[in-house]
Amino acid sequence: MKSYKLVHQLLSLVEQFELESNGKELLLHDFSGFLINHLEHSDTSLTSLDVRFGKKEAEAQELAYQIDNAIGRLFVYMSRYAKSYIKKTLEGTPLQSPEDFTALAILLTHESLSKGELINRNIQEKTSGTEVIRRLLAAGLVKQWDDQADRRSRRISITESGKELLHRVFDDMNYVGKMVTGNLCFSEKLKLQYLLQKLETFHFQLHEEKLITTKEDIRLMAVNRV
C-alpha cells in the first residue's frame, strides 16, 4: 500500500487532535483548521517525492523539498512545459519563440513603444530582447522609426501582417492555455489565477523599479520578507 505512510501520519494527527479537543465530537472542518495550523508551525519541508530525484544526497533533497524551494522548482518545471507547448503551436509561423509571440501581443495593445519599453514589458534582458525585435522586423511583423522626442531611441509598432498573424495564432494559443491548466477544476483555476496574479504584481514591481540587480539584492529581499 503506497499510501501507508500518509495514513499513518493522518491517524497520528487525528489522535493528537482528539487529545486537544477534550472529548468534543470531531468534525472535518475543525480538523482541517487543526491540520493547516499544524503544517504552518511544523518544519516547512515537503514530503512528496519528485520523480526526477534519485536516492542519494538526502541533505540536498531535504533542502530541495523545503516549501519555498519546492514552489520555485515547480515554477521552473511549469515554465518549461508551457514553453514546449507554445513552441509546438508556433511551428509553421514566422514566430520562433514564446518571447516573439508575447512581444507581438504586447505591441498589439499599444500604438507604439520604444525598444526599451517593449523589452522591459516582455521581461527580457536587453540582448535577448533586441534579438526578438530583430526577428520580428525581418519577418515584417513590426516596423520601427526614429523617436521624434528622443533621437537616441527608436519606436516600434505592429504591422497589419503582424496583426493578421496574431489573430490566427490566438486560436491555437487557447488550447495551450487549456493544456497548461491541465486537470484543474474551475474553482482551482480561479484560486491559482489569484495567487499567480498576486506574485506577478509583487515581482513586476521589483522588475519595473530594477530593485534586483545582484545576488546580494535577492538575499536581502528574501531575508526581509521572512
Side-chain angles (χ1 to χ4, degrees), residues 107-149:
L107 285 172
L108 182 66
T109 62
H110 292 274
E111 193 70 33
S112 69
L113 290 172
S114 70
K115 283 188 175 181
E117 288 171 334
L118 177 58
I119 291 171
N120 186 58
R121 282 170 168 74
N122 210 22
I123 315 178
Q124 289 188 281
E125 299 292 333
K126 183 176 181 180
T127 302
S128 55
T130 300
E131 182 61 23
V132 166
I133 293 171
R134 185 197 65 77
R135 289 198 296 266
L136 295 177
L137 286 168
L141 302 174
V142 302
K143 58 184 177 181
Q144 67 177 356
W145 64 92
D146 291 336
D147 191 331
Q148 298 301 314

Side-chain angles (χ1 to χ4, degrees), residues 67-199:
I67 190 165
D68 292 317
N69 294 338
I71 290 172
R73 184 176 72 256
L74 292 171
F75 264 116
V76 171
Y77 292 161
M78 286 304 304
S79 70
R80 290 174 181 169
Y81 293 137
K83 194 166 187 175
S84 70
Y85 299 145
I86 293 172
K87 289 184 72 173
K88 288 179 175 62
T89 299
L90 296 179
E91 288 177 359
T93 77
L95 303 175
Q96 298 180 24
S97 72
E99 290 75 21
D100 290 8
F101 169 75
T102 53
L104 203 59
I106 289 168
L107 285 172
L108 182 66
T109 62
H110 292 274
E111 193 70 33
S112 69
L113 290 172
S114 70
K115 283 188 175 181
E117 288 171 334
L118 177 58
I119 291 171
N120 186 58
R121 282 170 168 74
N122 210 22
I123 315 178
Q124 289 188 281
E125 299 292 333
K126 183 176 181 180
T127 302
S128 55
T130 300
E131 182 61 23
V132 166
I133 293 171
R134 185 197 65 77
R135 289 198 296 266
L136 295 177
L137 286 168
L141 302 174
V142 302
K143 58 184 177 181
Q144 67 177 356
W145 64 92
D146 291 336
D147 191 331
Q148 298 301 314
D150 183 359
R151 295 292 182 178
R152 298 168 299 176
S153 179
R154 307 202 78 184
R155 299 200 71 78
I156 303 173
S157 68
I158 191 171
T159 63
E160 287 303 317
S161 295
K163 292 178 182 179
E164 292 173 6
L165 174 63
L166 261 188
H167 286 297
R168 292 202 308 271
V169 172
F170 279 154
D171 289 338
D172 291 329
M173 282 297 175
N174 287 332
Y175 297 113
V176 173
K178 293 181 184 300
M179 281 296 297
V180 169
T181 54
N183 57 352
L184 299 181
C185 67
F186 184 69
S187 62
E188 290 171 330
K189 291 178 183 180
L190 287 176
K191 187 180 297 184
L192 179 61
Q193 181 187 35
Y194 166 76
L195 294 174
L196 290 176
Q197 186 59 63
K198 185 175 182 178
L199 283 173

Side-chain angles (χ1 to χ4, degrees), residues 24-110:
K24 291 193 302 183
E25 182 181 359
L26 304 184
L27 300 175
L28 181 60
H29 68 270
D30 292 328
F31 178 70
S32 299
F34 166 81
L35 181 59
I36 291 171
N37 184 68
H38 173 80
L39 291 174
E40 286 182 347
H41 294 87
S42 65
D43 184 6
T44 56
S45 63
L46 301 179
T47 57
S48 57
L49 297 178
D50 189 321
V51 295
R52 296 162 184 80
F53 293 163
K55 297 181 179 179
K56 296 184 177 181
E57 297 293 342
E59 290 183 4
Q61 290 198 49
E62 185 177 347
L63 285 174
Y65 285 126
Q66 287 180 355
I67 190 165
D68 292 317
N69 294 338
I71 290 172
R73 184 176 72 256
L74 292 171
F75 264 116
V76 171
Y77 292 161
M78 286 304 304
S79 70
R80 290 174 181 169
Y81 293 137
K83 194 166 187 175
S84 70
Y85 299 145
I86 293 172
K87 289 184 72 173
K88 288 179 175 62
T89 299
L90 296 179
E91 288 177 359
T93 77
L95 303 175
Q96 298 180 24
S97 72
E99 290 75 21
D100 290 8
F101 169 75
T102 53
L104 203 59
I106 289 168
L107 285 172
L108 182 66
T109 62
H110 292 274

